[in-house]
Amino acid sequence: MIISVSHVTMRLSGGGHALTILDDVSLDIPPQQIAAIVGPSGSGKSTLLGLIAGLDKPTSGSIQLDGLEITTLRESDMARYRRQKIGYIFQSFHLIPTLTAWENVAVPLELTGERHAKSRAIDLLTSVGLKDRQFHYPVQLSGGEQQRVAVARAFACRPPILLADEPTGNLDT
């Protein structure tokens, strides 16, 4: 399995009591598979994606990506693993406001030492219809355009695992 989630529970403390966000969740996703996590607002979909991406650690349970148990990794090792193996499209873009569209897409490429980061970033922006907006800052882009920059960035390093949290919420049909 490329993604294996086993008996994952996520609880947070607040207001004097524990809030259970996920309770004993298990799932397996094989390589080359597309899977959708669906449910009502507040059901823990974004939390589960964040746990699979190693952005947070579960209260209990196991998460393996391509055979590697990620819940025991140090943060620096998890960051390195994410950079190499995971593309993530955030629901709220998370673009760097002081960087242009092409620079936002180039960031993960530069972190991995890609020699042709700028040309790859521009190719990706072209593929999402934003070549003419490559020099614009996020504040100069519509919500849909920012989302397309985020999509291009997620694909930048050709990750074997792509996680997307409501990736089309700001896009036209």
Side-chain angles (χ1 to χ4, degrees):
M1 293 298 141
I2 192 120
I3 298 173
S4 183
V5 175
S6 182
H7 304 288
V8 165
T9 296
M10 183 67 170
R11 289 191 181 95
L12 299 175
S13 299
H17 67 287
L19 173 65
T20 300
I21 298 172
L22 298 171
D23 189 20
D24 196 30
V25 174
S26 296
L27 65 95
D28 290 315
I29 302 172
Q32 306 294 315
Q33 182 70 44
I34 296 174
I37 299 169
V38 297
S41 181
S43 64
K45 301 178 300 293
S46 294
T47 298
L48 180 58
L49 285 175
L51 291 172
I52 292 170
L55 298 172
D56 206 352
K57 293 192 184 289
T59 306
S60 64
S62 168
I63 301 172
Q64 292 187 6
L65 301 180
D66 204 16
L68 176 68
E69 175 60 50
I70 66 163
T71 60
T72 59
L73 292 178
R74 293 183 317 205
E75 183 52 41
S76 59
D77 294 330
M78 189 64 229
R80 191 174 308 105
Y81 186 81
R82 260 192 310 273
R83 196 167 46 243
Q84 296 168 353
K85 302 284 186 172
I86 300 170
Y88 199 103
I89 304 169
F90 291 92
Q91 187 174 5
S92 56
F93 322 131
H94 289 291
L95 300 178
I96 302 169
T98 57
L99 300 181
T100 64
W102 83 259
E103 290 168 329
N104 266 282
V105 176
V107 165
L109 295 163
E110 291 169 347
L111 289 172
T112 60
E114 170 72 38
R115 287 186 5 201
H116 305 289
K118 183 175 183 177
S119 62
R120 170 102 174 114
I122 292 169
D123 287 347
L124 286 162
L125 287 170
T126 300
S127 73
V128 296
L130 291 176
K131 182 178 183 184
D132 293 339
R133 306 284 275 157
Q134 64 182 302
F135 298 112
H136 289 82
Y137 292 91
V139 71
Q140 298 170 314
L141 301 171
S142 71
E145 289 169 328
Q146 290 181 58
Q147 187 69 1
R148 287 186 280 159
V149 172
V151 168
R153 181 186 56 197
F155 279 96
C157 294
R158 299 174 180 89
I161 299 170
L162 181 67
L163 302 172
D165 191 357
E166 297 190 32
T168 60
N170 290 294
L171 300 179
D172 297 330
T173 55

